[in-house]
């Protein structure tokens, strides 16, 4: 398989990130199929045509279903609002296409389950847009944990904060509704945190959560008054992993000054590992080794010693960026398709992340510990 | 009142810190009574004598009750193991002495209540060793919050981690027992965190907690086997403040690499404040003000603009140290005695902090939310 | 001009960076011509063919002069060792091609002068690979300086350190010779520093420099002994700018732990600006404004408020990477070609940077201050 | 020797710091003589009396020569403006007193030489107020260098910046004159930097310097116009150590945002050490050891593993402050007196630091390299 045909639905933040990844992935990695940019779906049509020209797609359409019947397309990228993921993913799978879908999977756990079932039944490859697990620094953290660099993991903490809903004067949008947006901070960013935490410490058994809406109402854009914000600005939870390890997660979309503050502390019997996405090329490692007088946290700068950093740059410390993570994520997906292996976060793995964020919300609403296998 | 007579019980970590504070406080502050170092109690007697000579006390005794009847003594410092606080504090108050007692107050909530009742009945001044609230950086944080520098407080997170029990090979001691040590991480360091959080966000209404003992047993020093660790290495809780604000606290005494990691994030509607004791002369402030392109977290270095820093040093950024916090704490206590005002953390205020840490432990054991007014 | 034909010479570190930039630039920016990847030159031929397949070039050759006569090619990228730049650039210009050449320009000042003269005479566009000036954080720093955010500039310091020659056991290579490599740290990385410093503070009038070779010899790879290192590991200089501002530059290629430590401090009458490439998405700004008690260095995280960051990502703080800088650099070159305007660092501007690094070396050798207009 | 009698001249910034050190030193260290606070000299008399009461001195005088004849005094602290150091030090030595004098030694090199000669002839102990070399973090840095933790030292850089003269609107004072203040940034803070650099890399052979006065005039306080600033705001120099090692020093008293920015980078053949006084409890260490993938700079937090930190606090990472450095400095002086050994920075060692700062100024004025042995 030398080249794989791509159909892209959506051209916003993530649509562009997918397009850029498709354009770069083979040139970066060498060992993956090239991507042929067959068709792009967006509305209205003139926007679709403009973006196809910019991104380098062969054709444009304002009917996403047009992609389904095109035999030149083997993979469909879904980067539209979350409420459309289920319908599109099911249609794409039914049409025999592999699916790369942005996170979160869907608005509801029911939708996510339907998508997962369809994916499993299809025999096709699926992948969700959990780009942060693609970071070489994260891969290195996982290797260090697996190799015992910090001993046995005994506790883990994670956080994910942004400030895109911090300003009380931001107008009300559909994002504030459960019907159209589903969960708030948990769905937008909390699920990313769970992708890191479970990557480091394995599956979660149960959660004890709290959620809070900081700004209960927001002004309507037309000045006619205020409307209610239905989903959470802040979510926190005490976690119990299947391994017995305890943890804590915190998240806010109203945390002033935080732009992409996604990170973790892994506490081990022989050390500690710390990461923060706002300094995504760094990893902090403490090891109880050597003379006490020279112990401390070591700031590891990612380099060719942390694959696949070297595919982007042979010089250490020169920094990868956010869009590079999408390239690594895509490379994994293309290899899974080529090798008929399992992508890192396919719909089945993704469903577990959906369960985690919904479990926090249910726990908060019902005031009780919620097990992920009973949600 | 030009000079106040002091009796000190205990000469360990905190005993020395008290002695140093007594020696410096008037020279630093100018406006407080001097301290006359009357007598010091320690066992055995030769150690008491050596420490009295080193610290500059007039006399030494191995009988702490000897201090009670000495009319030259107006204040007694209690810096002995926590299990002795109740008896000593009650005796000192009964003898008409003001009491500066190290934290935590006592092993049990019952002991703490007895101490608080005695203090209230006595009309004497009491103060607990919550040195971190004495930091000019913390005082500044409180002023910024009160002045609305970050808008209305909407969420707060705190952490306190050290690694003094991180090593699995450390031998078992009495510190591992509930009978002799009481709580673990919560009592040793967790109570400090609550002193900061309630200073910033007011009283706590209820907690939902979890605790964990990482190292279930420890080797006996004599090599004869292992004994159980009864109290917690790790504690975490979801907090609800009386103001309605939500929060999260985390704490560990087994967190490798953390030496004095005590800090907080205060989330406001217009900004954020962050502090960490390991960089105790810094405060991080984000304000949603001015052009977006120059917004960010500002690292404020403490200086004479943050009283009482200037009493130690007229030059900014020259750094206070841990022992300086004890001097500030003592100055507040001496002023309260002189002015017959209320010390910042007297036994009544301290009892609320005891309730908080015990509430976390009770919540964890019983698996339910615990209100502080019902514990 | 909808599309521009590209010929690439060299496929190493920078060759790949150019190829990736050509593949992405239009998709990222939208407003620039697309790049048609016409031909790639590398040796031997099978490597050329493999890289052409990986990077997506239409054809491959092991004869770089083959690119000169191809009418489909309008731009030639030169990413070969520095000793080949002069011949290739002159040939490309003679063939009527625009030239994007990696830095430093050449081995000697004489070569650089010849290249500059040819470029000026040709009427074609040239650009040198000074990617760090393309950083949105640097563009923002320049805007802040121009807008008076730190008052009048009064002093500037810069540093550029890496550790690729820190290990005494690294074998001797041609890089150690003046004949084949020219300058050492000054040529490899020092010129980047001058591109930042002159961007911030204008042209340099004179320098007073020192150079040092830390590792005087290196082992021959065949084990037959040691050979001399002829060029400098470390260079430092006191700078005087034409504006009268004083400055200091330091550089080392043997600075253990430094991976891409390129940065500056700009001292102004009303503030200070600090940057470091190892945290390339951050800028530190101090302004003497507002209450003293809240002053400090603000860490600005780059965001869509710092163009052209937003072309890569609409979310703040999500991080650009090194390869993104090449995309911005290329976009500027393509716009200059399209608009017949002057690229930021063309051969004429680049010659001034060559003068600066050679002036430091001359000053060090001759023990006297060297003016750039007399070198 | 159980107790040593102290006379203190001056009660400003440093006078208070000396007083606090005398009050604490024995209580902290245990193994040093106690200090008896005999007499304090200040003008006018009522201020002297107030400060004696605050600092705990037995008596006060407005005639500093009164201290000379007091047989109860063995040590005299000189903390007055620099122009008075020579006269006072000579008188104190002539009266048979040991002298602890603040830095810089004097206004001119001639004065410093006279002081050094008198000290040498007297057989008494002298010490200069180079408090930063007393930092346990610095002592640890020196030990690491001596033990080869970073291999052989090959290059060193240092900086010392503050912003106390950054504001152009600050009024003119005597500090701006060479007659009354001597050197500017070099004398106030530059000499501290040389105390660190020579401690790490040994004696300096020669310097090549530049100085600059940023604010050429300052407004007179009475509004009657402006007067000239005669001494330097900024100084920079290329250094050559006797060992052959090269270095760079930079200094500014007009560096906005810098409060106590005194630090260094030591480049070695096997690692790097970095320190900054604004985070005076931290040391950064890079070692080329262990797997490349986990190398990086380690942030060492000072602790009881870095003597004499443990004399202040048995818990790691709890932070020393600026005034604690004075206690360590004094302890060294008292031990030197007791043991008849040489203090770390006595007048003889201090004269070398004076030579260094004056050599930079001479080099800058005369435009030539200046050897320290020929100044």
């Amino acid at each position: 398989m030398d080249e794989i045909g791509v159909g892209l639905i959506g051209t916003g933040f993530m649509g562009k990130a997918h397009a850029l990844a498709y354009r770069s992935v083979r040139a970066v990695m060498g060992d993956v199929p090239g991507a042929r940019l067959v068709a792009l779906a967006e509305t209205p049509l003139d926007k679709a045509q403009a973006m196809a020209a910019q991104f380098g797609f062969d054709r444009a359409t304002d009917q996403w279903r047009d992609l389904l019947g095109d035999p030149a397309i083997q993979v469909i990228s879904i980067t539209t609002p979350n409420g459309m993921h289920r319908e599109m993913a099911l249609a794409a799978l039914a049409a025999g296409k592999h699916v790369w879908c942005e996170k979160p999977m869907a608005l509801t756990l029911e939708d996510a389950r339907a998508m997962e079932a369809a994916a499993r039944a299809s025999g096709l490859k699926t992948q969700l847009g959990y780009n942060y697990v693609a970071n070489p620094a994260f891969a290195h953290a996982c290797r260090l944990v697996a190799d015992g660099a910090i001993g046995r993991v005994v506790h883990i903490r994670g956080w994910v904060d942004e400030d895109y809903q911090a300003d009380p004067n931001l107008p009300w949008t559909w994002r504030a509704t459960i019907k159209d947006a589903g969960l708030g901070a948990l769905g937008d960013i909390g699920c990313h945190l769970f992708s890191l935490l479970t990557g480091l410490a394995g599956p979660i058994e149960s959660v004890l959560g709290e959620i809070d809406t900081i700004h209960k109402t927001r002004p309507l854009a037309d000045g006619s008054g205020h409307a209610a914000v239905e989903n959470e600005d802040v979510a926190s939870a005490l976690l119990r992993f299947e391994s017995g390890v305890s943890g804590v997660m915190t998240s806010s979309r109203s945390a002033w000054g935080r732009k992409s503050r996604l990170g973790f502390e892994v506490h081990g019997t022989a050390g500690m590992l710390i990461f923060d996405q706002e300094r995504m090329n760094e990893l902090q490692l403490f090891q109880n080794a050597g003379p006490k007088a020279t112990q401390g946290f070591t700031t590891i700068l990612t380099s060719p010693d942390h694959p696949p950093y070297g595919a982007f740059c042979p010089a250490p410390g020169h920094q990868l960026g956010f869009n590079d993570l999408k390239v690594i994520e895509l490379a994994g997906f293309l290899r899974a398709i080529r090798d008929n292996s399992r992508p890192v976060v396919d719909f089945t793995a993704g469903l577990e992340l959906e369960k985690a964020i919904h479990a926090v919300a249910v726990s908060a609403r019902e005031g009780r510990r919620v097990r992920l296998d009973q949600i």
Side-chain angles (χ1 to χ4, degrees), chain A:
Chain A
M1 183 176 56
D2 243 30
E3 214 178 43
I4 194 160
V6 173
L8 170 66
I9 316 180
T11 61
F13 182 1
M14 281 300 126
K16 189 172 192 173
H18 281 227
L20 290 171
Y22 283 123
R23 292 194 66 83
S24 298
V25 66
R26 182 169 191 175
V28 170
M29 296 294 176
D31 74 334
V32 298
R36 185 169 157 221
L37 305 183
V38 177
L40 168 161
E42 178 58 275
T43 57
L45 185 59
D46 58 349
K47 182 175 177 193
Q49 288 164 334
M51 298 317 291
Q54 176 170 342
F55 294 167
F57 278 78
D58 292 341
R59 66 180 178 88
T61 173
D62 60 353
Q63 303 292 326
W64 64 266
R65 290 185 180 277
D66 281 0
L67 309 185
L68 302 177
D70 188 333
I73 293 175
Q74 283 94 50
V75 175
I76 289 184
S77 272
I78 303 174
T79 70
T80 47
N82 308 334
M84 306 167 77
H85 290 181
R86 176 180 176 164
E87 183 185 5
M88 289 174 170
L90 264 56
L93 289 166
K97 312 299 190 193
H98 305 294
V99 175
W100 187 18
C101 180
E102 274 308 310
K103 44 57 55 188
M105 283 179 84
L107 295 189
T108 67
L109 205 43
E110 184 199 347
D111 286 347
R113 285 191 215 277
M115 291 164 71
E116 192 273 339
R120 204 152 21 85
S122 72
L124 294 159
K125 301 299 175 192
T126 57
Q127 179 161 287
L128 289 155
Y130 284 98
N131 28 260
Y132 299 113
V133 301
N135 190 337
F138 181 71
H140 188 52
C142 291
R143 264 193 310 273
L144 288 169
V145 166
D147 293 350
I150 58 167
R152 180 172 52 88
V153 172
V154 292
H155 184 61
I156 189 165
R157 297 179 192 153
W159 51 85
V160 55
D161 296 319
E162 299 195 6
D163 65 2
Y164 61 94
Q165 293 289 304
D167 190 337
N169 299 319
L170 286 178
W172 184 94
T173 68
W174 61 270
R175 289 194 154 276
T177 68
I178 287 175
K179 186 174 79 59
D180 291 330
L183 296 171
L186 284 164
D188 284 353
I189 52 180
C191 58
H192 276 302
L193 176 56
F194 281 109
S195 76
L196 300 185
L197 297 184
T198 55
L200 291 159
I204 292 171
E205 184 224 57
S206 63
V207 306
L208 195 51
E210 285 210 319
I211 58 176
D212 204 8
T213 302
I214 302 294
H215 304 295
K216 311 285 189 206
T217 65
R218 288 196 171 276
L220 292 165
D222 63 6
S224 67
H226 284 69
V229 174
E230 298 172 4
N231 48 24
E232 77 286 353
D233 290 322
V234 176
S236 312
L238 307 176
L239 311 175
R240 186 63 59 176
F241 289 79
E242 290 184 5
S243 64
V245 164
S246 67
V248 180
M249 68 78 58
T250 56
S251 179
S252 172
R253 66 182 181 187
S254 300
W256 272 120
R258 302 310 202 184
K259 305 303 178 184
S260 184
R261 181 93 176 170
L262 167 67
F264 55 79
E265 284 180 7
V266 189
H267 298 223
T269 51
M272 167 103 67
L273 258 174
I274 306 176
F275 172 78
D276 201 307
Q277 173 66 21
E278 287 185 0
R279 288 179 173 165
M280 62 172 267
N281 290 281
E282 300 180 12
L283 196 60
Q284 305 277 331
L285 172 65
F286 182 95
Q287 292 183 291
N288 176 34
K292 287 279 176 194
T294 51
Q295 288 186 359
F297 279 95
T298 297
T299 302
I300 303 168
L301 263 178
T302 46
S303 76
D305 294 302
H306 310 99
Y309 174 104
F312 294 87
C313 178
H318 276 52
Q319 317 283 308
L320 301 192
F322 176 84
N323 285 332
D324 295 330
L325 302 185
K326 279 311 220 199
V327 174
I328 300 172
E329 185 190 337
L330 172 59
F333 191 44
L334 294 179
R335 290 190 192 106
I337 293 171
R338 181 192 62 195
D339 304 340
N340 193 22
S341 61
R342 190 175 167 191
V344 179
V345 189
D346 64 7
F347 283 9
T348 299
L351 178 59
E352 295 306 303
L353 303 175
E354 297 288 322
K355 285 182 190 171
I357 56 176
H358 284 279
V360 173
V362 169
S363 171
R365 277 197 304 271
E366 302 185 2
R368 63 174 181 93
R369 176 173 290 277
V370 172
R371 292 180 59 97
L372 264 65
D373 60 7
Q374 293 177 352
I375 196 173

